[in-house]
Amino acid sequence: MVTDAGEVTGVRTDDETLVADVVVLASSIGPAQELVRQQLSGEPSFDAFLSMEHSPS
């Protein structure tokens, strides 16, 4: 994920960076929480999402 001032503004692949108005993270909750935690730690707007409980896969 590419972020700017706490907002996701695109995604980075091995080959390029893609800028987007909207980014959809399509994943099960555990990996999604880990990615958000790594990229957006400390952003209050993600607190509720990061505190959601989930069952192991």
Side-chain angles (χ1 to χ4, degrees):
M1 289 190 300
V2 178
T3 61
D4 181 27
E7 294 186 20
V8 178
T9 58
V11 294
R12 185 173 295 114
T13 70
D14 290 338
D15 301 319
E16 63 185 318
T17 298
L18 304 168
V19 177
D21 294 327
V22 176
V23 175
V24 176
L25 179 57
S27 169
S28 59
I29 192 167
Q33 285 175 320
E34 183 60 30
L35 183 60
V36 169
R37 194 172 283 114
Q38 290 172 3
Q39 298 291 319
L40 299 164
S41 178
E43 289 297 326
S45 57
F46 291 97
D47 288 348
F49 172 70
L50 292 174
S51 66
M52 295 174 81
E53 293 185 27
H54 64 285
S55 300
S57 300

